[in-house]
Amino acid sequence: DVKVTQSSRYLVKRTGEKVFLECVQDMDHENMFWYRQDPGLGLRLIYFSYDVKMKEKGDIPEGYSVSREKKERFSLILESASTNQTSMYLCASRTNTGEQYFGPGTRLTVT
Amino acid sequence: DQQVKQNSPSLSVQEGRISILNCDYTNSMFDYFLWYKKYPAEGPTFLISISSIKDKNEDGRFTVFLNKSAKHLSLHIVPSQPGDSAVYFCAASAAGGGADGLTFGKGTHLIIQP
């Protein structure tokens, strides 16, 4: 079974704070992804990584950065959190056959 | 412009009947399609996928149909059960099998009525 874990289920931060969201997968997958889900908008890709230290921008990378120092860990960083970054953040890991498996999500509220 | 469209925000089906969820896409490069189920406050759960070389894939109560000429796919759930009540997302990827991420529709909220 693929297991993807995220460091927090719920997080409340203040505007301007630096926020770290951590994601770990235990299946030695090369590809990992960060999405955000907002009501009426579905899931949108923020960043992805296909190998250690490699990263690519997704569809909505503005205001975010990522870090992949180890294969199993992919971190999403909000350098200076803003209220429009209040969202559900979902990390995923991809199998060799193309399916992506998601973590439980982090509900981030920026006040 | 939305490349993956789920035009029904919600769908209500009686328990035991068939649920049909629809999805349309516009990008001709998409060649791999997936369906996910999502409960509130949880991550999406992978349900079933289909490659563009097939027109049907079946897994238990779930069947996905792909009509490439119409750029349309559908998910059939038979018989529908109360636990199927959730939001269903259609997703697609281009050549590369999703290595550069999936494009998702906005989701359809399926409600199974007793």
Side-chain angles (χ1 to χ4, degrees):
Chain A
D1 259 7
V2 177
K3 190 168 184 186
V4 180
T5 57
Q6 294 182 230
S7 50
S8 306
R9 292 300 302 273
Y10 300 94
L11 212 51
V12 179
K13 295 291 181 182
R14 293 191 182 274
T15 301
E17 277 193 83
K18 191 168 186 176
V19 182
F20 292 87
L21 302 181
E22 304 282 338
C23 175
V24 177
Q25 51 97 0
D26 66 355
M27 290 301 292
D28 202 37
H29 291 161
E30 293 178 347
N31 299 88
M32 296 185 73
F33 307 84
W34 275 104
Y35 297 86
R36 63 179 279 178
Q37 185 203 357
D38 300 289
L41 295 177
L43 279 75
R44 294 179 291 166
L45 181 65
I46 305 171
Y47 264 97
F48 63 99
S49 169
Y50 51 89
D51 205 349
V52 174
K53 297 194 185 296
M54 307 302 287
K55 59 185 179 183
E56 294 285 344
K57 293 180 180 179
D59 299 320
I60 51 165
E62 297 78 20
Y64 303 94
S65 62
V66 289
S67 172
R68 187 124 181 245
E69 295 298 317
K70 293 184 177 181
K71 195 173 188 180
E72 67 271 18
R73 190 179 296 271
F74 191 34
S75 303
L76 180 70
I77 304 155
L78 287 67
E79 295 289 342
S80 177
S82 63
T83 54
N84 63 11
Q85 291 179 310
T86 291
S87 187
M88 168 74 106
Y89 288 88
L90 293 157
C91 174
S93 172
R94 177 182 171 271
T95 69
N96 290 335
T97 49
E99 298 85 27
Q100 290 189 18
Y101 288 87
F102 285 82
T106 296
R107 170 71 65 186
L108 173 67
T109 302
V110 183
T111 61
Chain B
D1 188 33
Q2 247 190 298
Q3 298 186 70
V4 177
K5 298 177 186 178
Q6 294 178 256
N7 291 321
S8 299
S10 67
L11 176 68
S12 187
V13 174
Q14 208 166 9
E15 183 180 355
R17 299 283 185 110
I18 182 171
S19 294
I20 301 176
L21 296 102
N22 293 304
C23 179
D24 297 293
Y25 62 97
T26 58
N27 188 340
S28 302
M29 297 298 292
F30 287 149
D31 60 0
Y32 190 63
F33 305 89
L34 308 90
W35 282 95
Y36 285 85
K37 172 183 180 180
K38 189 179 184 300
Y39 294 119
E42 292 185 15
T45 302
F46 169 70
L47 276 178
I48 192 168
S49 62
I50 188 166
S51 164
S52 60
I53 62 172
K54 293 185 171 182
D55 54 18
K56 177 182 173 181
N57 190 24
E58 200 170 347
D59 184 0
R61 297 187 298 115
F62 302 94
T63 303
V64 56
F65 295 92
L66 176 62
N67 182 334
K68 286 187 292 293
S69 60
K71 292 192 176 69
H72 176 84
L73 64 155
S74 60
L75 175 68
H76 293 213
I77 306 173
V78 183
S80 300
Q81 298 174 354
D84 296 330
S85 294
V87 177
Y88 289 78
F89 290 99
C90 171
S93 70
D100 55 352
L102 297 174
T103 301
F104 283 84
K106 293 184 177 181
T108 297
H109 186 194
L110 176 64
I111 301 160
I112 305 300
Q113 296 184 335

